Amino acid sequence: MKLVFIQPAVGHRARGSYLRGWQMEPLPLATLSGLTPPEIARVCYDDRLEPVNFDEPADAVILPVETYTARRSYEIASEYRKRGVAVVSGGFHATLNPEEVARYAEAVVVGEAEPVWPELLDDLKHRTLRKYYRGEHKADLDRPDAPLPDRSLYAGKRYLPISLLESGRGCGKSCDFCSIQAYFGPTYRRRPAHAVLAELRTLPPKPLKFFVDDNFTADREGVKELLRAMIPLRQRWVTQMSIHAAHDEELLDLLHQSGCQGVLIGFESLDPVTLKSMGKSFNAMRGGYGEALKNLRRHKIRLYATFVFGYDSDTPETFEGVLDFALEQRFYVAAFSHLMPFPGTSLYARLEEQKRLLYPAWWLDPAFRFSRAPFVPAHMSAEELGERCMDLRRRFYSVPNILKRMNAWNCGDWFMARNFLPINFLQRHEAAKRQDFPLGDENWTGQLIEA
């Protein structure tokens, strides 16, 4: 039996290259390949980096579907289905919108794949695939014999020089715009420290590791155990965490000692009313952003700060205050985005009920483009919301503002100093390239094939 693993792109322009910043290793595919018995042949194509050989013989294609990649995923699925190759899909979008994904696949994995993967492969072998495989139970992250991700899938592919791994799943919070909590619920599960350390020791010698956990510090005591064990490994790494963890001095000291170079933190808004409406009032705990930022600076932890706009309390005046704050704090990098209503979230349900969605399913509509707002904001047009977010990106990544952010916090370490200008100029360049980027391939001339 032979499987083809495919990582779909968001889309492709009729002319022009794909965004370099969107070319990280596809960890979920490597995880599934690691669970696959060695007697099953496999090959991997990454639609973001290379053309897919649709004519290569295969018994099934394994195709993850995320909301932004859904249209391109269905194009790829249609190419295989017209050749008689079974399509197996899973991922966040498949779990939150399984009936839609099932129109373009012979089998859909709903929930986490690990518990149902052996059964699915056996059914594939005997040609008895079911339409749905529902992971009624969460993956056992404590399983002592859990195989490591099969990173041989990445061979010969020019990914960003960052190795991805996870130390846990979920977030533990319930922000109403977030598909993570819609998928996992308000829970967080941590892998045993010894398992994470064993995986770290097997990673290729890339200069930076990225823990892809949505909230690395959700289990405070568990992560401290891991960080203590990581100190002798002398790794450089980054991750994502909630800002209220920045009030834990012991945690921050362990982050620094274990090699943490920076964290992505969702500030989202400076307005307490907006934070409350999105379910993130915890951002303002214990002195709010000011105290947290002082603590992070003292422990030499750099920040990728993210902000979102479009809640009903946001007005045109909101944008300038956020930009002033981001420039004053001199973040290493920052993202300024409008809200995106993902299916399955409280935000999507609310906007749908209020009849404020501009597209029934923006991820499939040919008229929709990346960076556009797919809903009607309260105090401006959707077009103005998108344009104002783009304006903040242009100004934050202007050459003078990039140079002003080359301070001791961001560039006190030779590795982060060396990468500061390349990363910021990549962000500057790709901010414009992301504007109106298509969902799906503009060069594709086929027809979507539904079941």
Side-chain angles (χ1 to χ4, degrees):
M1 196 160 67
K2 180 178 179 180
L3 304 180
V4 176
F5 291 87
I6 296 182
Q7 175 60 45
V10 168
H12 293 287
R13 293 189 188 274
R15 291 177 297 278
S17 59
Y18 199 69
L19 281 80
R20 181 61 176 154
W22 288 354
Q23 294 179 354
M24 285 198 287
E25 300 168 348
L27 182 59
L29 289 184
T31 299
L32 289 180
S33 183
L35 293 167
T36 303
E39 63 269 19
I40 297 178
R42 67 208 79 179
V43 67
C44 178
Y45 291 104
D46 196 318
D47 184 47
R48 304 168 299 174
L49 299 166
E50 60 193 343
V52 177
N53 181 3
F54 295 111
D55 295 318
E56 180 170 2
D59 294 281
V61 57
I62 311 304
L63 186 64
V65 185
E66 308 307 333
T67 306
Y68 271 121
T69 67
R71 185 172 178 83
R72 179 57 183 154
S73 296
Y74 302 154
E75 292 171 355
I76 293 171
S78 296
E79 289 293 335
Y80 278 100
R81 299 184 79 207
K82 76 181 183 182
R83 291 166 169 80
V85 178
V87 175
V88 177
S89 289
F92 275 74
H93 193 73
T95 296
L96 300 177
N97 207 348
E99 291 78 14
E100 175 191 291
V101 176
R103 304 204 313 257
Y104 305 97
E106 277 60 50
V108 179
V109 176
V110 180
E112 296 181 55
E114 290 97 328
V116 299
W117 193 244
E119 180 184 8
L120 188 152
L121 291 179
D122 189 65
D123 288 350
L124 180 61
K125 176 181 177 180
H126 294 94
R127 301 184 183 278
T128 56
L129 272 181
R130 304 199 311 270
K131 195 65 175 180
Y132 295 102
Y133 291 82
R134 301 183 184 274
E136 304 294 346
H137 304 288
K138 302 291 187 183
D140 182 5
L141 301 186
D142 290 324
R143 179 182 162 190
D145 60 340
L148 295 175
D150 174 20
R151 292 181 170 85
S152 68
L153 292 185
Y154 306 155
K157 296 177 175 31
R158 185 175 166 265
Y159 292 115
L160 291 172
I162 305 171
S163 290
L164 277 61
L165 72 163
E166 63 177 359
S167 72
R169 293 183 185 175
C171 172
K173 303 299 180 185
S174 300
C175 305
D176 85 326
F177 61 83
C178 184
S179 59
I180 303 299
Q181 68 89 21
Y183 183 92
F184 289 110
T187 63
Y188 178 81
R189 291 169 294 137
R190 177 165 293 286
R191 291 174 64 197
H194 66 83
V196 178
L197 293 171
E199 184 173 352
L200 269 171
R201 293 187 178 101
T202 69
L203 294 180
K206 293 190 177 182
L208 195 65
K209 311 300 186 292
F210 175 24
F211 284 99
V212 298
D213 307 39
D214 296 291
N215 186 1
F216 183 75
T217 58
D219 171 13
R220 211 71 75 74
E221 295 310 309
V223 78
K224 288 177 182 178
E225 177 190 356
L226 173 62
L227 295 174
R228 291 185 190 100
M230 284 176 58
I231 292 172
L233 300 184
R234 301 179 64 83
Q235 299 279 350
R236 286 191 178 90
W237 58 277
V238 294
T239 191
Q240 306 172 114
M241 74 178 206
S242 295
I243 194 166
H244 64 294
H247 298 288
D248 186 328
E249 290 285 345
E250 181 188 20
L251 175 63
L252 295 183
D253 183 56
L254 288 170
L255 287 170
H256 176 65
Q257 288 191 58
S258 62
C260 181
Q261 301 300 306
V263 293
L264 184 153
I265 290 181
F267 287 76
E268 320 308 7
S269 176
L270 306 181
D271 179 16
V273 174
T274 303
L275 289 173
K276 183 177 181 180
S277 65
M278 65 176 64
K280 291 199 75 164
S281 292
F282 56 84
N283 269 19
M285 289 172 55
R286 298 177 63 179
Y289 295 151
E291 289 301 313
L293 287 167
K294 287 178 185 176
N295 295 341
L296 289 162
R297 282 194 187 91
R298 190 168 60 256
H299 291 277
K300 302 178 182 178
I301 298 171
R302 297 151 198 88
L303 282 185
Y304 182 164
T306 67
F307 301 90
V308 295
F309 303 88
Y311 270 89
D312 288 353
S313 49
D314 287 337
T315 68
E317 291 70 38
T318 303
F319 296 83
E320 288 301 316
V322 170
L323 180 62
D324 290 344
F325 174 77
L327 292 175
E328 177 187 338
Q329 297 299 332
R330 301 190 179 187
F331 295 125
Y332 196 93
V333 285
F336 308 92
S337 307
H338 54 70
L339 276 174
M340 285 303 297
F342 288 97
T345 63
S346 300
L347 173 67
Y348 187 94
R350 184 169 68 253
L351 292 175
E352 184 177 45
E353 182 182 358
Q354 296 171 353
K355 302 188 185 307
R356 293 169 62 185
L357 294 175
L358 295 173
Y359 309 86
W362 54 264
W363 54 93
L364 295 181
D365 199 306
F368 181 78
R369 291 290 187 273
F370 192 90
S371 77
R372 295 185 185 178
F375 68 98
V376 180
H379 300 295
M380 65 198 88
S381 68
E383 291 77 13
E384 183 182 0
L385 175 57
E387 288 167 1
R388 285 183 177 275
C389 289
M390 185 62 197
D391 178 61
L392 295 196
R393 296 180 203 120
R394 289 193 191 101
R395 292 161 65 189
F396 185 80
Y397 290 108
S398 70
V399 174
N401 281 331
I402 290 175
L403 296 178
K404 286 177 183 176
R405 290 186 282 109
M406 292 185 69
N407 58 6
W409 182 21
N410 289 328
C411 300
D413 171 87
W414 72 268
F415 176 82
M416 298 303 286
R418 183 186 68 181
N419 287 284
F420 180 83
L421 288 178
I423 289 173
N424 274 271
F425 277 97
L426 178 67
Q427 292 285 340
R428 171 184 165 85
H429 173 65
E430 295 199 340
K433 286 186 69 175
R434 287 194 296 268
Q435 193 75 3
D436 287 334
F437 199 83
L439 306 191
D441 188 345
E442 291 183 334
N443 298 298
W444 192 67
T445 57
Q447 295 293 318
L448 294 179
I449 299 176
E450 297 191 25

